[in-house]
Amino acid sequence: RPTIRNQAVLTRRIIPCFDVDRGRVVKGISFVELRAAGDPVELARLYEQQGADELVFLDITASSDDRATTYDMVAATAEQVFIPFTVGGGIRSPVDMKVMLELGAEKVSINTAAIQDPQLISQCIVVAIDARRVPGTPGRWEVFTHGGRNPTGLDAVEWAVEAVSRGAGELLVTSMDTDGHQKGYDNAMLRAISDAVTVPVIASGGAGGPEHMA
């Protein structure tokens, strides 16, 4: 799913974001109905050739106990692709972060781990926020963890502010309501979060064309 940064930076960047499950890219709608979409390294090379500025890989299930599949993917991407990329999913400790960076990732992203242990947040960390509208409560979105499976009760805007106050260098904000529908981003949520923080916000979930990114 394509993503775009907010106005906290002067240069707008288009960032393909890959959801990866057991070493394969998958696509879904609102985090369900996942279907295979190809090899992550091959797609990374393709998007680099087409002018992508950065890449994001998210292991949405973190299902490989020894993480070997993800490690191989990160190493192969670093060898074959020459634009910056971020890796997230299943990263639970500074050791996990160190391994990903040593394998070639420029940055790491944490979501569930950031909520479980906010001390992991630092300036080199991209905090991912997966959120869904709270029914009957306009202007409020709830944060979910574990690939969108577990509700947290946290307000997305409040959590974004806290994550930045703890040192997050960027936020990757995905709307679970619009993800995969290709009808546009949740602009209300993105505006609320962008207005509340001073770091770059990467918009994710819902792009169907350039007009949505604009």
Side-chain angles (χ1 to χ4, degrees):
R1 53 177 186 266
T3 61
I4 188 166
R5 292 178 186 270
N6 73 335
Q7 294 184 5
V9 288
L10 295 177
T11 302
R12 309 297 190 267
R13 298 188 180 186
I14 306 301
I15 307 171
C17 183
F18 302 103
D19 291 335
V20 181
D21 181 12
R22 298 177 179 87
R24 303 293 292 177
V25 175
V26 294
K27 293 184 179 181
I29 298 176
S30 294
F31 284 43
V32 295
E33 301 178 22
L34 300 179
R35 63 190 188 280
D39 177 78
V41 181
E42 292 179 3
L43 289 172
R45 288 201 304 265
L46 175 63
Y47 284 129
E48 180 184 37
Q49 294 168 3
Q50 294 179 344
D53 297 295
E54 298 181 28
L55 301 169
V56 175
F57 296 93
L58 300 175
D59 185 337
I60 60 171
T61 56
S63 57
S64 177
D65 290 340
D66 61 7
R67 313 297 296 153
T69 300
T70 301
Y71 295 160
D72 291 345
M73 177 194 71
V74 173
T77 301
E79 289 177 357
Q80 301 179 44
V81 177
F82 303 99
I83 55 177
F85 65 94
T86 299
V87 178
I91 296 173
R92 303 178 181 90
S93 70
V95 172
D96 293 334
M97 298 176 189
K98 184 174 183 289
V99 169
M100 293 302 180
L101 295 173
E102 288 179 343
L103 286 170
E106 182 191 51
K107 290 174 285 189
V108 295
S109 172
I110 56 176
N111 178 353
T112 301
I115 293 173
Q116 293 177 339
D117 184 5
Q119 293 184 4
L120 290 173
I121 299 173
S122 69
Q123 281 193 330
C124 68
I125 297 300
V126 178
V127 171
I129 299 175
D130 299 333
R132 184 188 297 276
R133 297 186 195 98
V134 176
T137 310
R140 188 169 187 273
W141 300 266
E142 182 180 7
V143 178
F144 283 69
T145 61
H146 297 86
R149 293 184 290 276
N150 295 350
T152 66
L154 292 173
D155 176 81
V157 179
E158 293 176 358
W159 170 236
V161 171
E162 180 178 348
V164 171
S165 73
R166 290 179 175 273
E170 288 182 285
L171 302 177
L172 171 60
V173 179
T174 303
S175 166
M176 296 173 63
D177 298 298
T178 62
D179 182 67
H181 291 269
Q182 300 184 46
K183 296 180 179 179
Y185 298 100
D186 187 334
N187 291 328
M189 180 176 70
L190 293 169
R191 171 58 65 195
I193 291 176
S194 293
D195 285 348
V197 301
T198 56
V199 302
V201 173
I202 305 173
S204 178
E211 68 277 11
H212 297 143
M213 298 180 195

